[in-house]
Structures are given as C-alpha cells and as structure tokens.
C-alpha cells in the first residue's frame, strides 16, 4: 500500500480525426465493417507531429490540472509503448520540448501497452520513499505510422494519443493510495504481438521486408492465452488488495478493442456499467489507452476521489498488469 | 540509503572478436589510429546472435554466481540502451529465451548508456520495500549493427556485450547498500547523440536516408556540456552520501572512450589507479559498459565486499547518472 495521489492529468489528441467509415473506404471494406469489428467510431492520426511533441502538450495540461509548473517536477518518465527514435530515449525528447529550467531526470519505462501501469506502479515506490516529490508520467504513442493495411483486423483498431499524469505522496488526511499491483509476463506469447523490424535484430539498413516494420498481431492467440490466465491473475490481485470484485467502483481496462473489453469484463465478473469504455472515440492508443480512459472518466466526474479503481490490461510480451488504486 | 546487495553477476561476449588493427584496415586508417583514438584494443561483434540471446546467456551466469535458479527471480528488467525490436520490449524477449516456469514480470528501463544505473537505482526501491525479493537486471546491447563507418570517431569506439546482475535486500548483518543516487537530464544536448531512424518519427518504410538509421555523435559537444556540469553533479552526489572523493574506493565509469574516462577521472579528482578501466578489452558497450566494468573488477578481486564504489556515466539525453554503493 503506497500513499500515492494522482494530482493532475492531461491529454492531447493529434490533429487528424479519422472516422471508421473512412477506414472502410480506404481498405475496401463493406460499410460499417470497421466500426462493428473494432468498436471504434473515430480515432486520431498524427499529421507531422512527433510523439514527444504530443507528450509535451499532454504534460502541459497535466501540470495545469495539478496546479504546478514544470519547476515543481522532479522526474519525467516516458511510459510509452512505441519509441520516437532509438536514441535518445523518448523521455529526453519530451524533456527537450518542455524546456525545463532545471535538468530534471528523464528516462523510459516500457512494457508496451502496459507501460503506464508499470511506470505508475514502479515510480510509486520512489515517490512513497521520498526520492522524488512530483513525478510526471507521459504516455505518448503514434500507432498510425506502423499499422499494416494488409492486416485489417489490427489496422482498424489503432489511434494516436498522448496522456500525462502527475503523482505525489498523499498528504496527511488524504486517502489516495495504491492498494495492490501485479504483473505477469507469459513469454510463450512473446510472438503474438510484434513489430519485428527497426531495432538491432532486423536493422532498417539490412532488411527490406516492409511488413516486418509494421504491427503484427495474432488476436486469437492473445485471446486464448489471456483467457486462460486472467482469472487466476485477478484472484491474486484482489487478494493482495483485500477486496472483492463488487467492492471495486470502476474498471479501467486497456482499450484493446470493443469486443476484447466486453469479454474481459464478463470473464472477471464486472458489470459493463462499471467499465470505463472510451474506445469509440479514440481507438486503441497503445500505452496511452489506460490513462486516456482514466483521464476522461475523471473529467466526466465518473471516477471520484476515494473510489476504488482497477487499471487492468494485457500487453505484448504477453504480459498482464493490474493496479488497484483509491483515487 | 537502501539496503541492497548485488549477489551475482554474469557477462556474455558474442563470438566475433575484432581487433583495432582490423578496424584500421576496414576504414582505411593509418596503422594504430583506432587504438590510439579509442583506447580499445579489441571489441566483440554479434554474429547472428540477438540481444535477447546474449542477455539470457549473461543472465544464466549471473544466476549461477548468485547461487539461484530462475525460479528464485521475481522480476526481470532489461536495462539496455538499444532495443532488439520495437515490440515487444526486450525484457519479454530475454524472458522467452530463459523459459521460466513461472510468469515472472518483465519490462524495460531505458536511459541509453545509463540504463543499468537507472534500473539498479529504480528497482532498488521496489526490492527495499519488499515488492520483489530478487530482481534480475540485464543490459544487452548490440552496437555493431548501428555504427557508421563514415563517422570514424564513433565507429572505432563500440562493441557488443551483455551483462546481468541479481540484487536482493541485504540481510541483517550485511552491510551492502546504495548510499546515494543522482540523475540529471540536460536536454539541450538531446541531439548530441542520436539514432534518428527506426521508430515512429522516421519510420523505416517511409525514410531512406541510411545514415539516419546509424549512430551519430557529436563528441566535442558532449564533452563541453558534460564538463560544464560534472563537478556540480559530483558535489551533490557526494553530499547525499556524506562522503568525500577520497573515501570512495573505486570509480566505475561508463566506458565511453579511453580519453573521455581519463579526462572525467581527472576533472572529478580521482587517481587513475582507483578507476576501473576495461575499455581496452571490449570497447564502449553502451548500457552494458558500466556493469561489465563492475563485473570484471569484482571477478578480479579488485572490488571487495564493503568497499565504496561510484558508478558514474553520461548518456544520450544528455544525462548524467551516478550511484554510490557499498558493495
């Protein structure tokens, strides 16, 4: 149990809104296929913007929401599932755009779609211990450049977005906390979700198979493996928090796809009215997806102070991650 | 002050040893230029091996050294400066090679050449708090695929290597600890060290300038900026540890280049006999560089239990990072 409080959040959506009806046309699909398959009505694609520019804009909003300036931040963590460029790390590039007057430390924590959950959990220990007072977490992902129109099942799902979040230790009298956290990696599913090319293995100068530089997902295999392990995972997470499913006020799942979220909620026994579902407006925005849903649910006054919130998702790896917070 | 003990380390070097005399020939340089410029006699290049394969081999050795099997590990963190592929994270791929029977959580922490220092510091809080008992940190970097023969000043420096390390909380009566840690990011130097292409900004399918997928370094600019800030950084780090330079037994610097290390040691007032310098044997191995030097100094019985050791480096970002441990 760490006495951690989310004191501000901000989001940024890139300029170009793309309707599912446009995707239908682009891919030669029948009218309505994209929205039906994905649960997405609209997503945003970056149009010349970089992930660090988007992240910096989200960060500025999170700082305003927290009533802080950048001078109050002690550490910047990029919690993104994609990288802007191999070197330096994305946090340094966000730092460059924010132009702090002090040399605030900046580094990346990456577990693909779970990066925000992993970073929030990890950094909560450093904040709880007093190492850093205010930490700025930024999830900024550009999916649109790396999706494969030949794989329509995944192409239709994704959008681009940036979300930022400021955390600090709860003051005396404040009840905000992280009650439990759990992550498991089942690497027998490491190849279910991949972009194979672009790093040291399939280097762009030595490799020319274009598909290898694009997102490749075996949705059915992910579903089979995660279905097998999710209930055991949830039991352990709830046990750690000494809570039952009924005591959780809100489920904020990774916005993977409309169908995946419905099945997940059903499997772990959550009524759909307790699930924050914003995929319709944004698509799957990789690591920005969970904080984006959290952001909107707070803004819309759904999630209120003191309520118990479960952040839960799967990611490439294949990993499961969950965090139970009292907001 | 976290009561953290390094209980095992292991290294792995890929198969192909490359002498500086061969680099002289390859780049058409005068005999001896490469070794004189870099301080490197020999480096190793991966020859068909992947970073995760190398990392898994180093991890096995670290486990043996710690007297543990994989079953005793509670979290696997890849602390590498390069990525094997964009998705999934490198820790998942190392996990896949290690084939643990349990779904040990796995994720990446990245601050380029400082990744090991950042990950050791960050994870020390989770180990100290009891979240994880044994954490396996793996730094595995393949530089050879991304260096640019047209930029001989950086080409001559690099080699490939993997190093792993197991940490746990010190038992009662054990004195091992982290006494102080500090990181600063000066993003006015974010462009001094780059691989621009391969991520979402310059995507391999949309960008064809081969140099942009290769390492690009402005050594002089790095030197100017780091020289300006290193003494203030060291003062703050030593002050946090309540130690003077004289009380530190060993300096384990990032093995950036022979000259950079000599100048650094001189600037912060370390005699060269207290500096661990292994660059001659391996070159600059990115994030593996600091743990590789630490590994060898422990193996060679230079660094002994209870001694005070300063891990110190710069990385792309531009970041400075330092950790003072009692080994």
């Amino acid at each position: 149990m760490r006495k951690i409080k989310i004191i501000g959040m901000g989001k940024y959506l890139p300029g170009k809104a793309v309707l599912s009806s446009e995707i239908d046309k682009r891919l030669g699909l029948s009218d309505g296929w994209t929205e039906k398959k994905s649960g997405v009505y609209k997503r945003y694609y970056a149009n010349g913007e970089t992930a660090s520019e988007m992240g910096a804009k989200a960060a500025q909003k999170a700082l305003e929401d927290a009533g802080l300036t950048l001078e109050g931040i002690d550490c910047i963590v990029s919690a993104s599932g994609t990288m802007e460029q191999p070197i330096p790390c994305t946090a340094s590039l966000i730092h460059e755009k924010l132009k702090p007057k002090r040399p605030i430390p900046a580094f990346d924590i990456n577990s693909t779609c779970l990066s925000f959950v992993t970073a929030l959990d990890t950094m909560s220990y450093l904040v709880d211990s007093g190492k850093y007072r205010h930490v700025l977490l930024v999830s900024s992902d550009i999916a649109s450049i790396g999706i494969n129109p030949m794989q329509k099942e995944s192409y239709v799902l994704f959008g681009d977005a940036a979300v930022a979040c400021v955390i600090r230790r709860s003051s005396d009298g404040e009840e905000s906390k992280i009650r439990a956290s759990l992550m498991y990696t089942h690497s027998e599913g490491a190849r279910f979700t991949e972009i194979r090319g672009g790093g040291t293995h399939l280097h762009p100068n030595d490799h020319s198979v274009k598909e290898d530089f694009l997102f490749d997902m075996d949705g059915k295999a992910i579903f089979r493996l995660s279905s097998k392990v999710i209930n055991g995972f949830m039991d352990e997470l709830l046990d750690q928090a000494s809570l039952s499913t009924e005591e959780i006020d809100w489920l904020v799942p990774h916005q993977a796809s409309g169908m995946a979220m419905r099945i997940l909620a059903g499997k772990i026994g959550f009524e759909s009215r307790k699930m924050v579902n914003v995929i319709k407006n944004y698509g799957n925005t990789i690591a920005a997806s969970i904080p984006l849903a959290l952001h909107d649910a707070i803004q819309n006054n759904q999630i209120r102070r003191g309520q118990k919130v479960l952040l839960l998702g799967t990611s490439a790896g294949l990993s499961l991650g969950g965090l139970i917070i009292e907001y």
Side-chain angles (χ1 to χ4, degrees), chain A residues 111-114 183-194 217-230 233 313-321:
Chain A
S111 57
T112 327
C113 290
L114 281 169
M183 181 185 191
Y184 280 137
T185 299
H186 299 267
S187 61
E188 63 269 34
R191 305 297 167 175
F192 295 170
T193 319
E194 286 189 283
M217 182 176 96
D218 182 346
K220 280 179 189 155
I222 295 167
F223 175 71
R224 272 196 303 270
L225 177 53
S226 49
S227 294
K228 202 174 77 180
V229 294
I230 187 72
F233 180 88
T314 58
S315 77
L318 182 149
S319 294
L320 275 78

Side-chain angles (χ1 to χ4, degrees), chain A residues 4 8 52 73 79 117 125 132 185 195-196 209 216 218 230 287 290 296 304 319:
Chain A
I4 297 296
S52 59
I73 296 296
V117 174
Y125 289 89
Y132 296 124
T185 299
I195 294 180
R196 283 177 285 278
V209 181
D216 182 22
D218 182 346
I230 187 72
I290 288 177
D296 280 12
R304 291 186 302 274
S319 294

Side-chain angles (χ1 to χ4, degrees), chain A residues 153-230:
Chain A
E153 293 78 7
S154 65
Y155 187 91
V156 299
L157 297 175
F158 289 92
D160 307 337
V163 186
C165 171
V166 181
I167 59 171
R168 68 156 163 79
R169 203 167 194 285
S170 301
S171 310
D172 292 344
E174 289 179 336
E175 286 307 307
S176 299
K177 59 177 76 76
I178 295 179
R179 284 186 72 127
S181 64
L182 190 64
M183 181 185 191
Y184 280 137
T185 299
H186 299 267
S187 61
E188 63 269 34
R191 305 297 167 175
F192 295 170
T193 319
E194 286 189 283
I195 294 180
R196 283 177 285 278
T200 59
H201 179 40
L202 301 178
H203 190 275
N205 290 352
D206 295 316
H207 191 79
S208 56
V209 181
K210 284 193 178 294
E211 294 76 46
D212 282 332
F213 299 103
L214 299 176
F215 187 75
D216 182 22
M217 182 176 96
D218 182 346
K220 280 179 189 155
I222 295 167
F223 175 71
R224 272 196 303 270
L225 177 53
S226 49
S227 294
K228 202 174 77 180
V229 294
I230 187 72

Side-chain angles (χ1 to χ4, degrees), chain A residues 2-293:
Chain A
R2 276 91 64 211
K3 293 201 70 199
I4 297 296
K5 186 176 186 179
I6 292 171
I7 58 166
M9 291 194 79
K11 75 175 174 190
Y12 175 79
L13 300 165
K16 194 171 145 200
V18 179
L19 298 179
S20 282
S21 54
E22 293 172 61
I23 304 276
D24 287 339
K25 286 195 195 78
R26 191 180 297 187
L27 301 191
L29 301 166
S30 57
D31 280 0
W33 193 92
T34 294
E35 184 166 353
K36 192 171 171 216
K37 190 78 181 177
S38 63
V40 183
Y41 169 71
K42 182 178 65 173
R43 78 280 290 145
Y44 297 82
Y45 286 175
N47 202 354
E49 292 161 290
T50 64
S52 59
E53 286 164 0
M54 289 167 47
K57 284 174 184 166
Q60 291 292 8
K61 289 189 191 159
L63 288 167
E64 278 167 39
D65 190 41
L68 283 176
T69 66
L70 196 54
E71 303 311 299
I73 296 296
D74 304 303
C75 184
I76 300 171
V77 174
S78 169
S80 307
T82 55
M83 50 153 200
E84 179 164 327
Q85 57 186 59
I87 292 176
C89 66
T90 303
S92 293
L93 298 174
I94 294 169
H95 191 291
E96 181 192 34
K97 305 303 176 300
L98 289 171
K99 298 191 197 310
K101 295 191 192 87
R102 291 182 305 114
I104 303 168
F107 59 92
D108 292 4
I109 294 180
N110 176 5
S111 57
T112 327
C113 290
L114 281 169
S115 300
F116 179 80
V117 174
T118 303
L120 175 55
D121 184 36
T122 302
M123 297 310 293
S124 74
Y125 289 89
L126 283 77
V127 171
D128 193 47
S129 77
K131 165 79 173 174
Y132 296 124
R133 186 149 180 259
H134 293 118
V135 172
L136 174 66
L137 304 168
V138 186
S139 296
S140 182
D141 275 316
I142 295 181
S144 57
I145 189 79
I147 48 178
N148 186 352
M150 302 299 286
Q151 188 177 96
K152 59 181 190 295
E153 293 78 7
S154 65
Y155 187 91
V156 299
L157 297 175
F158 289 92
D160 307 337
V163 186
C165 171
V166 181
I167 59 171
R168 68 156 163 79
R169 203 167 194 285
S170 301
S171 310
D172 292 344
E174 289 179 336
E175 286 307 307
S176 299
K177 59 177 76 76
I178 295 179
R179 284 186 72 127
S181 64
L182 190 64
M183 181 185 191
Y184 280 137
T185 299
H186 299 267
S187 61
E188 63 269 34
R191 305 297 167 175
F192 295 170
T193 319
E194 286 189 283
I195 294 180
R196 283 177 285 278
T200 59
H201 179 40
L202 301 178
H203 190 275
N205 290 352
D206 295 316
H207 191 79
S208 56
V209 181
K210 284 193 178 294
E211 294 76 46
D212 282 332
F213 299 103
L214 299 176
F215 187 75
D216 182 22
M217 182 176 96
D218 182 346
K220 280 179 189 155
I222 295 167
F223 175 71
R224 272 196 303 270
L225 177 53
S226 49
S227 294
K228 202 174 77 180
V229 294
I230 187 72
N231 288 105
F233 180 88
M234 275 307 301
D235 290 347
E236 188 174 341
L237 181 61
L238 287 166
D239 192 54
Q240 195 191 117
S242 303
L243 289 171
S244 66
T245 308
E246 293 69 34
E247 291 174 287
I248 306 282
D249 297 295
W250 293 101
L251 166 64
V252 180
H254 173 43
Q255 313 283 305
S257 81
M259 192 168 59
M261 287 160 68
R262 276 194 308 277
I263 293 171
L264 172 78
K267 245 191 116 54
I268 63 173
F270 268 84
E271 303 161 63
S272 62
R273 64 170 181 86
K274 288 171 83 173
M275 179 170 73
V276 178
N277 184 341
V278 299
I279 195 169
K280 193 177 75 165
N281 306 323
Y282 312 115
N284 175 340
T285 58
I286 315 182
S289 155
I290 288 177
L292 185 52

